[in-house]
Amino acid sequence: MATPIKLNQLRAFVEINRHGSIRAASRFLSLSQPALTKSIRELENSLGTKLFIRSNQGIYLTECGKGFLQRASLILEELRIAQEDIQQQIGLIGGVVNIGVAGSIARTIMPKVITQFHRDYPTVNLRVVEGQLLTMLPQLRQGELDFTVNTYYAGSLDAELNFEKLMEKEYKVIVRKGHPKANATSLEELADCNWTMPTPKDTYYRRLFETFSSLHHPPVFSVTCETLMSCMSLAAESDFLTIVAVDVVDEALFDQQFVALNLKEQLPFATFGLIQRRDTKLTPAGEYLARLFRMYCRG
């Protein structure tokens, strides 16, 4: 009969992987290195396999360790959420909510949402990760993100993620002020330009990429920038073109650096939604934050 796994063993395993060494994890957990080493040895004995490979270059997960990490992280996060859920229900407000947001959400809706959330839940800490859904999948799967407000392309992830539609956004091609193509009126005129956008996989950008692929001379996206800030920074300081939501175009400082092109082709609208694991349950604070995003996105 296998020896039961203990929570301190799971915490040791997850933190050693997160910090990259037993020494760093021992400092974080305020435990001795021998105690952590013992916990990992007992955990490996319980599982009947090695979880880490130790070398002069550091400590790395085995293939079994990589698979176990997702489950161990999820167990610890679910316990944290369960504890905070009970505490918040009985009036002991505290804890943390972890969310992800797309770049255009971070620049427009998020500040209003967080301002109201912090006013109503001042003792709850909030962690925000910006980026595309693809970069957030590991954290969503491991329970390290409660939800994300992002674009989603229906398909391979339907079985594990729940998508709740919040709104649609129009997108436009933008260039820096003084760009040689600042007066272009069609995508065909931009065929020889350099383009940048995030990875076209499981997001709005996949739909956009498929739309462009049907053109006689489709744009070539030679540089991939995973955040809106990176795309806009590159476009601002070069002749690269990128594509942003119209509410980003409407920002007060936009006209100082950029021009939004009025093209005859209508770019597809992006559908934004609240995305979370199908098997997850939010704490009262997390659910309140989700309601705020629903209200501001649909309002």
Side-chain angles (χ1 to χ4, degrees):
M1 181 176 178
T3 305
I5 295 173
K6 301 175 182 178
L7 284 177
N8 68 299
Q9 296 169 351
L10 293 182
R11 291 193 180 95
F13 169 66
V14 170
E15 294 304 332
I16 289 172
N17 175 73
R18 181 174 291 148
H19 290 86
S21 72
I22 293 176
R23 177 183 297 178
S26 70
R27 288 197 298 265
F28 178 79
L29 293 170
S30 299
L31 294 172
S32 68
Q33 293 184 49
L36 283 188
T37 300
K38 180 182 178 182
S39 291
I40 294 302
R41 187 181 301 116
E42 291 174 345
L43 179 59
E44 290 177 332
N45 288 338
S46 295
L47 295 171
T49 187
K50 291 291 184 182
L51 298 174
F52 288 110
I53 299 172
R54 299 161 180 82
S55 71
N56 293 333
Q57 287 73 42
I59 188 166
Y60 308 96
L61 289 173
T62 63
E63 287 304 311
C64 288
K66 292 176 183 177
F68 188 66
L69 176 63
Q70 180 175 335
R71 296 180 183 277
S73 299
L74 189 56
I75 289 169
L76 293 176
E77 287 300 318
E78 286 294 328
L79 283 173
R80 176 189 64 80
I81 292 171
Q83 184 179 21
E84 292 178 5
D85 191 359
I86 295 298
Q87 290 175 334
Q88 291 170 14
Q89 286 186 49
I90 64 177
L92 301 176
I93 303 300
V96 60
V97 180
N98 302 284
I99 65 168
V101 293
S104 63
I105 298 294
R107 292 177 68 99
T108 55
I109 293 171
M110 186 193 74
K112 303 170 188 175
V113 169
I114 290 181
T115 298
Q116 182 168 340
F117 177 82
H118 186 65
R119 183 170 61 244
D120 297 336
Y121 281 82
T123 62
V124 174
N125 293 323
L126 185 60
R127 170 175 165 261
V128 181
V129 177
E130 179 188 344
Q132 298 299 307
L133 173 62
L134 184 65
T135 64
M136 300 178 187
L137 279 178
Q139 293 185 75
L140 279 172
R141 286 168 173 156
Q142 294 171 17
E144 295 175 4
L145 286 181
D146 297 302
F147 64 83
T148 179
V149 178
N150 230 304
T151 60
Y152 177 53
Y153 191 98
S156 61
L157 301 174
D158 291 354
E160 60 178 309
L161 298 179
N162 182 65
F163 177 84
E164 177 188 347
K165 181 179 176 180
L166 298 180
M167 64 179 176
E168 290 188 334
K169 283 190 178 190
E170 181 184 359
Y171 274 61
K172 283 183 174 287
V173 177
I174 66 168
V175 299
R176 64 170 175 82
K177 293 193 73 172
H179 193 285
K181 300 286 187 175
N183 296 316
T185 59
S186 72
L187 287 171
E188 294 292 342
E189 296 177 56
L190 308 175
D192 60 341
C193 293
N194 294 315
W195 292 71
T196 179
M197 75 172 183
T199 302
K201 184 177 181 182
D202 296 320
T203 66
Y204 165 72
Y205 293 98
R206 176 176 172 182
R207 183 181 177 193
L208 193 63
F209 188 81
E210 290 173 349
T211 299
F212 284 170
S213 297
S214 65
L215 297 175
H216 183 61
H217 296 292
V220 177
F221 293 89
S222 54
V223 175
T224 299
C225 294
E226 292 301 347
T227 66
L228 175 65
M229 180 63 71
S230 298
C231 287
M232 294 186 68
S233 295
L234 179 57
E237 300 296 332
S238 71
D239 284 343
F240 272 85
L241 282 65
T242 193
I243 300 163
V244 301
V246 291
D247 49 5
V248 174
V249 172
D250 292 336
E251 290 180 1
L253 299 178
F254 181 88
D255 289 340
Q256 295 181 17
Q257 288 186 295
F258 300 102
V259 174
L261 303 184
N262 292 315
L263 304 178
K264 65 181 182 181
E265 297 92 349
Q266 174 69 61
L267 298 182
F269 277 61
T271 300
F272 283 79
L274 193 147
I275 306 167
Q276 60 188 109
R277 291 195 335 272
R278 286 190 175 275
D279 59 351
T280 193
K281 181 180 182 297
L282 300 177
T283 63
E287 184 54 51
Y288 179 69
L289 183 61
R291 287 202 303 271
L292 289 179
F293 272 108
R294 292 184 186 104
M295 181 177 70
Y296 280 96
C297 288
R298 292 168 176 168

